[in-house]
Amino acid sequence: MFDWLKKVRKEIKDLNISVSSYQKDSVIQSLPTVAYVNKAKKSLESGNYAEAEEILRKALDISQQDPLVFRYLGKINEKQGNFSQAAEYYARSAKINPQDKEVWLRLGMSQLNSKMFEEAITSFEKANKVSPMNTDVYTGWGMALMRLKKYKHARDKFLTAVKINKYNYTAILLSAVMEVRLCDYESAEMKLAFLTKVAPNESSTYEYANLKLLKSNYKEAEMYATKSININPQMLPSYFILGEVYSLQKNLEKTEKTFRTAISNDLENSALHYEWGKAYLRFFDYEKAQEQFGISLQQEPDLIEAKTALALTHAHKQNFTLLDGLKEKYGENVYIQEGIGLERYYAGQYSNAVEMFKKALRTDNKQTYNYFNLAKAYSKLNDKVKTREFFDKFTLENPQYLKGLVEYSRWLVEICDYADAQRKLRKAEKLDGKNFDILNLMFYCAYKLVKDNVCEYNIKEAISIANRIEPRERFIYEKEYNELKGILENLQGNN
């Protein structure tokens, strides 16, 4: 009897403790799930996501109609990067309580991170109706539009976000990025200059470096890309800018050092090898470029950028197999356009080749090898004016490229412009004073000029060029050499 009474009293005592605990946790005493939500919040704040989720699932056993339970389940998944699952929970919360100011924003951001861009836009629109003129809503809205490449509309959203909160540096940065995409470089310049002064970080300095690169201000592009890396050595895109700057400036040592530094910082991936390959293309080193594109595709077999670039390196070897599988779908890609031009050139379709090389230059005017391609195509068409024009453009842009100077000189010899050929060859000689092709051409030009204007000094200079060629069998103008020696002997004999 007494044992039974003690047991009843204990159960009543335990019940009182449980009720007191519930009343302490619960804000709305009539809604039991709120107690679970409050407990889950504490676990969430301490980073114990598994415990928080377990508590909230218990709340679901009580009621499936509490929007807070779903909202916090969404928050747990969002914090863990499970954006698709987070979006599902936020959507259920919003359905139960469509007036929640926060849930539409979080739903939109989760959908954005899940690449559900159209759905995200709808969520941000609803968020704006529930909570008009919220800077975060407009920022997220702009980001969704940006991912859909609706750059003008995205910029408008970011600018509205800035009007609401002038300290929303993310929105300022993204509006500048959109202006770069829209080629409004002056507006972008003002915003990025401001950000790099008041809120410099790896992103703002990188974007400013990118803008400077687009404006061909290589010195400042290098400076801001370096700043970005100094702030965060893991900022891979900044290494890409440095690699492009150095390769455009034809500094091979700095170019290779940049990519090797990125790898030493554990940043190796397919994109890095693709960019490294692009850098080698600017040096016209198609073998090394092909090697880098191959590594890129080993790491990411479906990377279309690397596939198109690899097709170009093959086209330079007159192998158009890869090009055939890409040119229909990716005809607007500069490497594909250049590859098609080469295919037409080697097929003897020189006018069509000219058309494609010009199209490639319109797509990317930094692909200066197309000047060289155009010069060769126009030479086949016997258009001396255009051939000279594009050889001049190419050698002006690439004065250190030996092959360009040699090919230009060969063509000048073909059209009997020996004086200009000699000038080009002297520049080439400074790059490689032991090159047999250069020395042979230099001798021949000197020989032809002497024939037009006999001069003892010029004869001796021509003979000295020939005497520099060792082994002698590499010299191909022995007949002309002996002729000059004879002329020289006659001149000296007459004196």
Side-chain angles (χ1 to χ4, degrees), residues 273-299:
H273 287 286
Y274 167 66
E275 292 293 334
W276 199 344
K278 282 173 61 181
Y280 279 130
L281 285 181
R282 299 184 192 103
F283 291 102
F284 317 124
D285 191 333
Y286 297 103
E287 287 295 332
K288 288 186 178 178
Q290 182 170 317
E291 180 184 350
Q292 291 299 324
F293 296 139
I295 296 171
S296 178
L297 286 170
Q298 285 175 7
Q299 296 180 353

Side-chain angles (χ1 to χ4, degrees), residues 426 446 450 453-464 488 491-492:
R426 283 172 179 161
V450 165
N453 182 20
V454 176
C455 167
E456 183 176 342
Y457 175 82
N458 290 340
I459 295 172
K460 287 181 178 180
E461 185 180 8
I463 289 172
S464 71
L488 180 61
L491 285 174
Q492 291 174 338

Side-chain angles (χ1 to χ4, degrees), residues 237-253:
S238 295
Y239 291 95
F240 296 165
I241 286 182
L242 287 179
E244 184 168 349
V245 166
Y246 294 141
S247 58
L248 286 168
Q249 294 176 332
K250 308 305 178 185
N251 190 324
L252 180 60
E253 182 180 354

Side-chain angles (χ1 to χ4, degrees), residues 318-379:
Q318 301 185 46
N319 180 347
F320 305 108
T321 306
L322 289 176
L323 185 68
D324 290 339
L326 295 168
K327 59 187 177 183
E328 183 175 344
K329 189 174 181 181
Y330 300 101
E332 296 307 307
N333 179 282
V334 67
Y335 297 145
I336 297 300
Q337 290 167 352
E338 186 174 333
I340 293 171
L342 289 170
E343 184 179 33
R344 292 177 179 177
Y345 174 85
Y346 287 117
Q349 301 172 16
Y350 302 121
S351 295
N352 289 336
V354 164
E355 178 187 339
M356 287 309 301
F357 294 141
K358 286 185 174 180
K359 186 175 183 180
L361 277 168
R362 289 194 297 270
T363 300
D364 183 356
N365 61 11
K366 292 176 182 175
Q367 283 294 105
T368 58
Y369 201 77
N370 287 299
Y371 291 139
F372 186 66
N373 290 333
L374 281 164
K376 291 195 299 179
Y378 275 121
S379 72

Side-chain angles (χ1 to χ4, degrees), residues 186-353:
E186 296 310 310
S187 294
E189 175 91 28
M190 288 192 300
K191 292 180 178 67
L192 292 170
F194 166 75
L195 286 174
T196 53
K197 288 179 181 177
V198 302
N201 58 34
E202 66 267 37
S203 298
S204 60
T205 48
Y206 159 74
E207 293 296 346
Y208 206 13
N210 185 52
L211 176 60
K212 294 296 184 181
L213 176 59
L214 289 170
K215 296 173 78 172
S216 298
N217 187 336
Y218 301 136
K219 183 177 180 181
E220 292 197 7
E222 177 188 1
M223 180 179 73
Y224 284 105
T226 302
K227 282 186 178 181
S228 176
I229 291 169
N230 288 339
I231 294 169
N232 181 5
Q234 299 297 303
M235 191 65 179
L236 182 58
S238 295
Y239 291 95
F240 296 165
I241 286 182
L242 287 179
E244 184 168 349
V245 166
Y246 294 141
S247 58
L248 286 168
Q249 294 176 332
K250 308 305 178 185
N251 190 324
L252 180 60
E253 182 180 354
K254 283 190 174 182
T255 299
E256 292 182 328
K257 183 180 178 181
T258 295
F259 289 108
R260 290 190 181 116
T261 300
I263 289 175
S264 69
N265 286 330
D266 297 323
L267 294 173
E268 182 177 12
N269 61 15
S270 58
L272 182 144
H273 287 286
Y274 167 66
E275 292 293 334
W276 199 344
K278 282 173 61 181
Y280 279 130
L281 285 181
R282 299 184 192 103
F283 291 102
F284 317 124
D285 191 333
Y286 297 103
E287 287 295 332
K288 288 186 178 178
Q290 182 170 317
E291 180 184 350
Q292 291 299 324
F293 296 139
I295 296 171
S296 178
L297 286 170
Q298 285 175 7
Q299 296 180 353
E300 190 176 344
D302 295 326
L303 186 64
I304 192 61
E305 291 85 356
K307 286 183 178 181
T308 56
L310 191 64
L312 174 60
T313 63
H314 282 221
H316 275 280
K317 297 178 179 179
Q318 301 185 46
N319 180 347
F320 305 108
T321 306
L322 289 176
L323 185 68
D324 290 339
L326 295 168
K327 59 187 177 183
E328 183 175 344
K329 189 174 181 181
Y330 300 101
E332 296 307 307
N333 179 282
V334 67
Y335 297 145
I336 297 300
Q337 290 167 352
E338 186 174 333
I340 293 171
L342 289 170
E343 184 179 33
R344 292 177 179 177
Y345 174 85
Y346 287 117
Q349 301 172 16
Y350 302 121
S351 295
N352 289 336

Side-chain angles (χ1 to χ4, degrees), residues 121-165:
I121 289 171
T122 300
S123 296
F124 290 126
E125 288 173 348
K126 291 182 177 178
N128 189 51
K129 289 179 181 178
V130 175
S131 179
M133 301 306 285
N134 181 301
T135 190
D136 293 330
V137 168
Y138 275 92
T139 302
W141 200 344
M143 290 168 72
L145 289 164
M146 177 178 71
R147 297 299 295 272
L148 290 171
K149 298 185 178 181
K150 298 179 180 180
Y151 301 132
K152 186 177 183 299
H153 295 303
R155 179 188 60 180
D156 293 341
K157 300 303 177 188
F158 293 136
L159 291 176
T160 302
V162 175
K163 286 179 183 178
I164 299 168
N165 179 6

